[in-house]
Amino acid sequence: MPGSLAGLRIRERRLALGLTQVDLAARAGISPSYLNLIEKNRRAVAGRVLLALARALDMPPADFTGAAEQGLLAALQEAATAHGVETARTEDLIGRFPDWARLLAGMLDESQRLRRAVTALSDRLAHDPFLGQSVHEILTNVTAIRSTTDILADPGEMSAAQRGRFHDILAQESARLTEVAQALATYFDSAATATAPAATPEEALDQFLDAHEHQFPALDADPGADLAPLLEHEALGSAPARRLAEAHLARYAADARLLPLAEFAARAAELRHDPLRLAAVFAVPPERVFRRLATLRRDGLEAPPMACLQVSAAGHVLMRRPLPGLPLPRHGRGCPLWPLFDALSHPGEPRAATCALPDGAEYLALALATPLVPPGFGARPVWQGSMLLVPLVLARRADMAAPPGEVPPEPVGPGPGCRMCPRQTCVARAEPSVLS
């Protein structure tokens, strides 16, 4: 594949130099029809022909496969895979219609950026303490202004000095209301950017994990390694955020100790990434396998990309590992149609389903509810739910266990739940959508 975009580079360079295909073919000593096939990526180019074209175009041979085109190819293939579109002719699309390909990739990137921004704002609207305090201050100011105006509307025998005091109160409360409104406007502006400071410990943990791509090779190599160096991160500025990160790292290290990376990766490929079979082989609780599978894909290790969400029976998020284009709830309130919540209603019974998001992306979902703590006599069990989400095309390519192909995918909402779901007629809708 590295040489598959050479035709695009050759065509762009030829047009930049104002050469026709006949001109370039003559300079390189090949036929115009052969050059036409090369530029359309229908013929590979290498060896003597590649060197001849490089000399004719006055550019190094290595430049024929530029990083920008490789990045464009990767972006389009990732998007196509997530939406179940065939990728065999992605290179042909780039070669024949490079401007349209760049436009499409840009629109996909902008769509993901806007989705992340709306998700961040939706999370903050529902859970941010700053917003709660700001709303309380606004209501207090508005109440004071309303009470003062009611008094001034019927002043009776009020003296000029009293009226002056009430006017002062109006001016002061109006000024405070303006300050709160300006602070909110500034806050929302920053909330929609990728560099916005974390508003909650959970957001800080997400920024920390995103910076490490949810993988910690030092702990994979040595699960007993000191956690302190990893915790020295700019996102972990508050004590609560640091405690969340420390607990996450301790759990990651415990998983790495029980499921050594190299051995686990080999057995996962052998057992088709089946969480229950892997849990039996390594004699560990399944929830550990779910977490380990979600961080398995990396340089040097082939595995399908997997998202993972673990919640308590009350819906509190215990662990989340999203994928690009597939955000997951940070504070609960996920889509009630996800198999995860069905699994929590039937503890111990594995659930497998294919799910279709509103944007057309399809995923294989594997879910299971297991005890959060070891059960005991006379004590009620406490359950946690775990769910893996794998792009359906890649799950089938990896031969992962899935429901029969004739079963249609189940329509579900996006990870953050009803606020981010455009399915207006959904019977499970619990709150209005911000996308309506």
Side-chain angles (χ1 to χ4, degrees):
M1 184 161 62
S4 60
L5 294 176
L8 170 61
R9 302 286 289 175
I10 291 170
R11 176 180 177 274
E12 288 183 338
R13 178 63 173 171
R14 175 178 63 78
L15 293 176
L17 295 176
L19 298 174
T20 67
Q21 286 187 337
V22 173
D23 295 334
L24 178 57
R27 291 187 182 187
I30 60 176
S31 69
S33 59
Y34 185 27
L35 176 59
N36 182 55
L37 293 174
I38 290 174
E39 289 191 352
K40 291 182 177 179
N41 286 321
R42 295 179 181 176
R43 289 291 185 274
V45 57
R48 181 189 63 78
V49 175
L50 176 64
L51 294 176
L53 286 169
R55 284 193 298 269
L57 294 170
D58 191 25
M59 62 185 295
D63 287 357
F64 284 133
T65 54
E69 285 72 21
Q70 291 296 330
L72 178 60
L73 175 64
L76 290 177
Q77 287 185 330
E78 181 180 349
T81 299
H83 290 79
V85 179
E86 63 91 12
T87 61
R89 302 188 65 185
T90 309
E91 298 154 3
D92 189 43
L93 170 67
I94 298 174
R96 297 181 63 188
F97 307 104
D99 293 336
W100 279 103
R102 281 190 285 266
L103 175 62
L104 178 59
M107 293 176 66
L108 290 169
D109 183 68
E110 178 69 4
S111 174
Q112 289 193 7
R113 187 192 67 79
L114 290 175
R115 179 178 293 183
R116 289 194 298 269
V118 174
T119 300
L121 292 175
S122 179
D123 266 348
R124 292 188 174 200
L125 281 171
H127 304 95
D128 194 336
F130 173 80
L131 290 179
Q133 179 183 351
S134 298
V135 171
H136 175 73
E137 291 179 7
I138 287 175
L139 293 175
T140 301
N141 297 143
V142 170
T143 301
I145 291 172
R146 177 64 183 272
S147 299
T148 305
T149 54
D150 286 345
I151 294 172
L152 289 174
D154 186 18
E157 299 181 356
M158 185 182 301
S159 67
Q162 289 176 321
R163 282 197 300 273
R165 285 197 295 272
F166 282 115
H167 286 150
D168 289 341
I169 292 174
L170 276 178
Q172 293 169 5
E173 295 298 332
S174 298
R176 292 192 185 101
L177 186 59
T178 300
E179 290 175 0
V180 175
Q182 289 175 340
L184 276 175
T186 301
Y187 183 71
F188 279 125
D189 284 343
S190 66
T193 66
T195 58
T200 65
E202 291 83 3
E203 281 190 25
L205 175 63
D206 282 347
Q207 291 182 4
F208 169 69
L209 295 177
D210 288 344
H212 290 277
E213 298 183 346
H214 293 255
Q215 298 168 350
F216 299 92
L219 298 181
D220 290 320
D222 179 12
D226 185 11
L227 302 181
L230 292 172
L231 293 170
E232 296 300 324
H233 192 276
E234 58 184 2
L236 306 178
S238 68
R242 190 179 178 90
R243 285 196 295 270
L244 287 178
E246 187 172 8
H248 184 95
L249 291 176
R251 186 174 56 196
Y252 186 102
D255 292 346
R257 184 179 297 108
L258 295 170
L259 303 166
L261 183 59
E263 182 183 358
F264 180 76
R267 297 309 298 270
E270 177 186 333
L271 299 176
R272 301 185 302 165
H273 303 89
D274 186 319
L276 299 185
R277 296 173 68 189
L278 287 166
V281 167
F282 287 92
V284 298
E287 61 269 15
R288 291 190 180 275
V289 177
F290 276 77
R291 292 194 295 263
R292 201 67 168 142
L293 284 172
T295 62
L296 185 58
R297 180 185 175 94
R298 62 188 73 190
D299 291 341
L301 285 180
E302 288 295 329
M306 304 186 199
C308 181
L309 182 64
Q310 293 185 323
V311 301
S312 69
H316 177 72
V317 176
L318 305 174
M319 181 268 186
R320 62 189 293 273
R321 198 314 188 200
L323 287 176
L326 180 64
L328 297 176
R330 179 183 290 116
H331 304 282
R333 297 191 183 186
C335 175
L337 299 179
W338 281 113
L340 172 64
F341 300 105
D342 183 35
L344 281 167
S345 300
H346 301 82
E349 299 181 16
R351 288 289 188 266
T354 55
C355 302
L357 269 64
D359 63 1
E362 295 180 348
Y363 291 86
L364 168 66
L366 304 177
L368 178 68
T370 55
L372 184 61
V373 295
F377 292 107
R380 296 183 63 183
V382 179
W383 300 98
Q384 64 178 332
S386 301
M387 179 173 67
L388 280 178
L389 293 164
V390 191
L392 187 57
V393 171
L394 298 182
R396 288 172 173 163
R397 191 176 300 168
D399 198 25
M400 294 183 66
E406 62 270 14
V407 177
E410 300 176 10
V412 300
C418 296
R419 283 180 177 268
M420 294 293 297
C421 181
R423 300 187 195 276
Q424 299 300 329
T425 59
C426 178
V427 296
R429 177 167 294 284
E431 54 187 344
S433 171
V434 299
L435 303 177
S436 60

